[in-house]
Structure formats: structure tokens, C-alpha cells
Amino acid sequence: MEQRVAFESDCIPVLTEILEEIKPQRILLVTGKNSFEKSGAKDFILGCLPAKNANITRFSDFDNNPNIKDLKKGLEAVKIFDPDLVIAAGGGSVIDMGKLIRFFHTHEYEDDIFSGKYSQSGSKVPLIAIPTTAGTGSEATHFAVLYDEKKTKHSIANPDILPEYAIVNSVLTLGQSPYLTACAGFDALAQGIEAYWNKNATEESDRYAEKAIELVYETLPKVVSDPNDELRAKMSEGAYWAGRAINITKTTAPHAFSYPFTTHYGIPHGHAIAFTFPYIADFNLSKGDIPEFKKFEIYRMLNIENSVCSSIQKYIINIGLKTPINKYDINLIIKGINLERLANNPANIKTEDALILVKKALQQFSK
């Protein structure tokens, strides 16, 4: 399906129009515990509701990294409430949870929830995704992250997971701290680059990736140090296009390497990606199966003149991302690398390569 999206000045009229078309009587709001009010999403959504007497239930009882237990609580809530519209408003984890609740409300799975074998068992409820951060692009993808009981990160993918509507209103990101802005923004930048050098890249994904990189790369350092409305708008739009790009390609090695840092050390997703990104980028550009014209474009878009590592490293440090702890279990990290994401990488990374890349990254960032 073609997703309907609205940016900036179109957000209020488009959201109002969508709500008038659906005429919801029972709305399930999936939100963060505190961000819903703080971001302004509550006032924004309720102010657009055409029917003030709509019955609204809010679900926010889940961790920052949603797991099966959280999902089951959400599914129980949605089963009792039986909404005719789901609105997910928040960061990537919130939108992922909204996507999963909506999906499994009307889809059954074989064997286990991570089997990838799903069948529709009811009429799909429309989903509106409203990001309050500029980074994950979850509002634009047909997959969602879910952790199992062992804290292993999985990605559940299905065309029916994609939200029908995305309302990208950068006003809702204005309260983000410089650190969270940097984390989310680097995630978006990494997604754009990873989609561009990806084994699964297409002409369409390349267009989205290039647009994302061009919007985010120059903007992110500025919005971290001296944010304004125009910069926030560029970041939100760039994050959306990055999401559209990985919706086609999925991600590669930097994301694959990031998961154990988040799972075992609680490092925010975008920050975890930054740890190894300079070294993996250098490895991919020197040893990966990337067309020469794409290598040239990556160098151009990232303003790389000499060393890939030092250029990207300087950029990461400039936006305030540096390793917050110095002690890691290398074997635990290597074991936690996501092989599914690694399969999309343009260069073959063996275990011995992974060890070298992780050691180099941690030594550099720990200085």
C-alpha cells in the first residue's frame, strides 16, 4: 500500500481530515509514559479530533525496549477495548509497539511469534504513526523491533505492519535534549548510508537514501548545538526518508553490531550505532562490493577528503557521542551481532574481522 504522509504545515489539516474520514468511536493511543504530554503530542492529537465524544484508551505500560511480555499486555488491552483506530505517538519504540499491537490484534502466527509465518484473522484497524523524535523512521517501515525473554532483539516484518498514515510534525521534537537529538539523528544518518551501500539497494531506495543523507548530514551538528524550527523540520523529514529507504533495503553491519550494546549495556540505539560506524564504513568502502559511483557519492555527501575513519569519527564526536563506559565483554558483543542485518552488508565480515572492528572502535572512543 502507498502510505499517506504529511509534513509541517500540512500536519494539522491532514490529521484532521484523516480523523474526519475514519470517524473513530474507540481510539487506542499507544504512547510513552511521559513524552506524550511533554512533546505536545497529546494537545496536537486531541485538538484534531472531530468527535469529542470518542472513547479513548491509552496504553503506555511497556519498557523502552519493548518485549513479548509488554506486547501481551497491549494485546490484552486492545482485545478488551476493540478500537477502530490506533494512534502511536512517540519515539521508535513507541511506534514499534503500536505497530505490533495493531498487527497481532488481527493476525495469528504459527509456531512462535518470531516465525515469520502470519495469517490475517480479522479486519485490519487503521494506524496513524506520529513520531516525537527525528531518527528511527519507524513511521515509514513495515517491520518492528521486539525483544524475547532472553533480551535478544528480533525484527518482525510483514507488509501489514506499515502504518497507513504518518504525520511528521517536527514541532513535537522541539523538547528533545541535545544528546537524544544526536542519538536519534545519527540513527537516521546511518540508515540513509546503510540503505545506499546495501546489497538490496534499488533505484527507489537510493533516491530516498540520498534525500535523507543530504537533509541530515549538514543539519544534525547544527540542530544539536543551536536548534531552531527550520533545522528541526529538516531533521524530521530526513528521518522519514531514511525510514523509507530501509523499508526497502533494511539495515547493515553498523546496526547489526549495535544491538548488544543496547541490550547488555543500555546504550541508546543511535549512540550504539556510532561506536563502530567509522570502522565499518572504512571496511565497507575498501572491501565491499559497492559501485564506484556510489563510493564517490558517499565521499561527497559526507565531506570525506582523506581518512574515512577520522572524518566520521570527528563528526560523531562533534555531535556529542562518545563511549560512556569503558568496560565491555568483547565476546558478549560479538555473540550478540545480528546475523540477519549483517547479511545485507556489502562486505563479508567474518568473526575475526568483527573482533578487530569492535576493538578498534572501543579503543578510539575510550580515549
Side-chain angles (χ1 to χ4, degrees), residues 6 40 83 112 214 222 303 310 336 354 364:
D112 67 77
E214 297 284 3
K222 298 175 184 176
N303 293 325
S310 62
Q364 177 65 30

Side-chain angles (χ1 to χ4, degrees), residues 272-292:
I273 295 167
F275 286 1
T276 58
F277 197 94
Y279 298 93
I280 293 174
D282 184 52
F283 189 89
N284 283 347
L285 290 168
S286 61
K287 299 184 179 181
D289 185 16
I290 304 172
E292 287 301 318

Side-chain angles (χ1 to χ4, degrees), residues 95-137:
I95 294 178
D96 277 1
M97 179 56 74
K99 288 156 69 173
L100 291 169
I101 290 173
R102 189 279 292 264
F103 179 71
F104 285 112
H105 178 52
T106 57
H107 287 73
E108 297 178 349
Y109 54 86
E110 296 180 24
D111 303 324
D112 67 77
I113 199 167
F114 303 113
S115 66
K117 300 176 182 178
Y118 310 112
S119 58
Q120 191 165 344
S121 57
S123 299
K124 193 169 63 166
V125 178
L127 171 62
I128 302 174
I130 304 176
T132 60
T133 62
T136 70

Side-chain angles (χ1 to χ4, degrees), residues 259-261 263-265 328-337:
Y259 297 156
F261 287 105
T263 301
H264 300 295
Y265 301 102
Y328 296 92
D329 183 334
I330 296 292
N331 293 325
L332 190 64
I333 293 168
I334 298 300
K335 185 178 179 181
I337 293 173

Side-chain angles (χ1 to χ4, degrees), residues 193-205:
I193 298 168
E194 291 178 55
Y196 195 64
W197 68 32
N198 204 293
K199 283 183 177 181
N200 307 315
T202 65
E203 289 185 6
E204 183 182 5
S205 69

Side-chain angles (χ1 to χ4, degrees), residues 155-299:
S155 182
I156 295 178
N158 188 278
D160 285 341
I161 289 178
L162 179 71
E164 284 77 11
Y165 310 98
I167 306 297
V168 185
N169 184 1
S170 66
V171 171
L172 304 180
T173 73
L174 296 181
Q176 290 290 302
S177 68
Y179 175 68
L180 292 179
T181 297
C183 288
F186 193 80
D187 185 16
L189 179 61
Q191 287 176 354
I193 298 168
E194 291 178 55
Y196 195 64
W197 68 32
N198 204 293
K199 283 183 177 181
N200 307 315
T202 65
E203 289 185 6
E204 183 182 5
S205 69
D206 284 349
R207 289 198 306 273
Y208 299 150
E210 288 171 351
K211 187 179 292 190
I213 297 167
E214 297 284 3
L215 281 166
V216 174
Y217 181 79
E218 296 289 346
T219 306
L220 182 54
K222 298 175 184 176
V223 80
V224 168
S225 62
D226 189 20
N228 59 46
D229 293 354
E230 181 182 356
L231 294 174
R232 292 286 187 186
K234 286 184 177 181
M235 286 299 303
S236 290
E237 184 179 353
Y240 174 79
W241 293 117
R244 286 290 295 268
I246 64 165
N247 187 52
I248 296 171
T249 65
K250 297 193 176 179
T251 52
T252 63
H255 272 72
F257 277 60
S258 74
Y259 297 156
F261 287 105
T262 298
T263 301
H264 300 295
Y265 301 102
I267 309 301
H269 179 58
H271 196 161
I273 295 167
F275 286 1
T276 58
F277 197 94
Y279 298 93
I280 293 174
D282 184 52
F283 189 89
N284 283 347
L285 290 168
S286 61
K287 299 184 179 181
D289 185 16
I290 304 172
E292 287 301 318
F293 80 91
K294 283 197 171 184
K295 290 182 181 180
F296 176 84
E297 283 301 302
I298 291 171
Y299 273 76

